């Protein structure tokens, strides 16, 4: 991957005797699969940032990636400047918890949180899966390595004492591929930690006779009690075909993160582009509809705030 951060270049326009200098800085935001909500988060942020390129010189791109853990790894390696990551993976990476294999990333910085992401299990109606425990012995897409759902699924499996051998098949398809696999009866169930409503679950539940499966029980209750980055979550009934009742599960928050080594002014301009245009941002995806500034600058953040973000929040009087 190209390191765009070092690609800042100065374009100088000779205008008569004087010269106007415009510094261009390219920034890259890590997202997720194209059918997910992270991709929309990244694309939306870039769209707002790029509207002001003439003033601040930032040029933003937000390519599709493997998801949370891949984004954190890319930021750590200096290959990306910012990215979206689940609140649990922000915590694990910043603290160097054993769940995160990349080692402690003490330079990880929080910018803001975005929408909630329920841990979502969608099963074919003919698969006989009513509860999370019923996944045992079934063909389950546990997700690509690097995705948040794959990591969180492994955390959950660890708590339940399950191994990959407990499934008839544990496939590693990417989020964008799993709806079709469910429809083609290649798997009995798919897993996605994702904001709702989203096109991916919608596609899967309209093209396939499928239903959401609750993820509840003692192990989940303990997980929530012991870890501030997990919380109870509900996917509202009627949102997707085949799931008329509310589905109880647990969830995380999508968070926007960067590294301490990214310039304060860069992070400041990105944060300013989002919050100066907050209504427009919220209108870009239905999962953003209930966002509030207050919750976004506090909820789900375990790494320290990047100073460039803190500067904007102080200016607004949102933090001291
Ligand atoms: N939560 C997922 C992940 O961390 C991504 C969800 C999305 O793309 O919206 O990989």
């Amino acid at each position: 991957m190209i390191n765009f951060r070092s690609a800042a270049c100065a374009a100088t326009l000779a205008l008569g005797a004087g010269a106007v200098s415009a510094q261009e800085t390219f920034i890259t935001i890590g997202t997720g699969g194209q059918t997910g909500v992270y991709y929309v988060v990244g694309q939306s942020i870039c769209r707002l940032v790029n509207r002001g390129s003439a003033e601040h010189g930032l040029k933003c791109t937000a390519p599709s990636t493997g998801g949370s853990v891949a984004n954190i790894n890319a930021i750590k390696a200096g290959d990306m400047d910012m990215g979206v990551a689940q609140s649990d993976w922000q915590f694990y990476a910043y603290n160097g918890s054993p769940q995160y294999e990349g080692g402690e990333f003490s330079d990880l910085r929080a910018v803001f949180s975005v929408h909630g992401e329920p841990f979502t299990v969608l099963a074919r109606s003919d698969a006989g899966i009513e509860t999370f425990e019923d996944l045992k012995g079934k063909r389950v897409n546990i997700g690509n390595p690097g995705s948040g759902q794959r990591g969180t699924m492994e955390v959950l499996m660890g708590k339940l004492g399950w191994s990959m051998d407990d499934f008839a098949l544990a496939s590693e398809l990417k989020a964008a591929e799993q709806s079709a696999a469910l429809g083609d009866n290649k798997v009995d169930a798919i897993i996605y930690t994702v904001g709702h409503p989203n096109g991916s679950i919608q596609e899967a539940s309209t093209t396939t006779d499928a239903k959401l499966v609750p993820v509840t029980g003692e192990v989940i209750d303990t997980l929530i009690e012991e870890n501030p980055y997990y919380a109870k979550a509900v996917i509202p009934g009627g949102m997707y075909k085949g799931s008329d009742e509310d589905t109880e599960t647990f969830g995380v928050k999508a968070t926007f993160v960067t590294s301490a080594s990214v310039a304060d002014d860069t992070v400041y301009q990105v944060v300013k582009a989002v919050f100066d245009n907050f209504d427009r941002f919220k209108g870009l995806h239905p999962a953003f509809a209930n966002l509030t500034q207050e919750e976004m600058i506090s909820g789900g953040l375990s790494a320290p705030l990047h100073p460039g973000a803190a500067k904007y929040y102080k200016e607004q009087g949102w933090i001291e």
Side-chain angles (χ1 to χ4, degrees):
M1 195 168 296
I2 304 162
N3 184 354
F4 290 97
R5 193 181 306 152
S6 57
C9 61
T12 305
L13 301 172
L15 291 174
V20 179
S21 202
Q23 184 81 18
E24 277 194 343
T25 304
F26 292 88
I27 55 168
T28 313
I29 294 176
T31 62
Q34 283 186 1
T35 55
V37 185
Y38 285 14
Y39 190 68
V40 183
V41 172
Q43 293 291 319
S44 304
I45 293 173
C46 280
R47 192 183 303 178
L48 296 174
V49 169
N50 290 338
R51 284 171 25 152
S53 294
E55 291 106 70
H56 51 55
L58 294 181
K59 290 261 175 75
C60 181
T61 52
S64 146
T65 71
S68 282
V69 180
N71 295 340
I72 292 173
N73 290 343
I75 295 168
K76 189 165 188 247
D79 293 332
M80 289 193 167
D81 303 279
M82 301 171 195
V84 195
Q86 290 178 198
S87 50
D88 50 347
W89 292 99
Q90 179 186 141
F91 181 95
Y92 296 141
Y94 177 70
N95 292 292
S97 309
Q99 290 89 339
Y100 178 66
E101 285 170 7
E104 189 182 329
F105 182 12
S106 54
D107 267 357
L108 184 64
R109 291 292 175 269
V111 182
F112 51 72
S113 63
V114 205
H115 55 283
E117 298 190 275
F119 185 84
T120 305
V121 179
L122 184 74
R124 291 179 61 90
S125 298
D126 59 12
I129 299 170
E130 303 297 330
T131 66
F132 188 76
E133 283 69 28
D134 293 340
L135 291 178
K136 262 194 166 183
K138 304 289 192 210
R139 300 166 303 161
V140 181
N141 187 50
I142 57 166
N144 62 291
S147 70
Q149 53 271 8
R150 170 61 177 271
T152 304
M153 179 67 178
E154 285 182 12
V155 168
L156 202 51
M157 287 171 61
K159 297 281 177 207
L160 289 161
W162 293 8
S163 76
M164 297 302 172
D165 295 337
D166 284 312
F167 303 111
L169 170 77
S171 58
E172 299 190 314
L173 298 173
K174 292 191 213 157
E177 300 162 340
Q178 62 179 355
S179 299
L182 191 75
D184 294 345
N185 203 5
K186 296 211 169 82
V187 294
D188 298 308
I190 59 174
I191 287 161
Y192 204 3
T193 318
V194 67
H196 294 285
N198 68 77
S200 177
I201 299 294
Q202 204 147 27
E203 184 201 322
S205 50
T206 45
T207 56
T208 311
D209 192 3
K211 59 183 178 202
L212 294 167
V213 176
V215 185
T216 52
E218 248 171 66
V219 167
I220 304 297
D221 291 343
T222 311
L223 200 66
I224 294 168
E225 265 162 43
E226 289 176 354
N227 303 294
Y229 40 83
Y230 292 126
K232 277 194 187 299
V234 172
I235 306 166
M239 193 172 256
Y240 300 105
K241 188 165 165 265
S243 301
D244 296 333
E245 306 295 326
D246 285 0
T247 305
E248 281 182 45
T249 180
F250 74 106
V252 293
K253 254 183 193 288
T255 72
F256 192 56
V257 296
T258 187
S259 161
S261 63
V262 174
D264 290 4
D265 192 53
T266 300
V267 178
Y268 174 85
Q269 292 297 348
V270 170
V271 167
K272 184 171 161 57
V274 171
F275 288 108
D276 280 2
N277 300 289
F278 194 50
D279 286 338
R280 183 185 284 255
F281 180 78
K282 282 201 296 185
L284 293 171
H285 195 282
F288 306 158
N290 298 323
L291 296 181
T292 65
Q293 282 109 328
E294 200 182 10
E295 176 65 15
M296 284 173 76
I297 64 169
S298 56
L301 308 180
S302 44
L305 271 184
H306 190 285
K311 183 183 167 204
Y312 182 84
Y313 304 152
K314 278 183 200 152
E315 279 175 8
Q316 300 299 313
W318 296 342
I319 57 171
E320 305 248 302

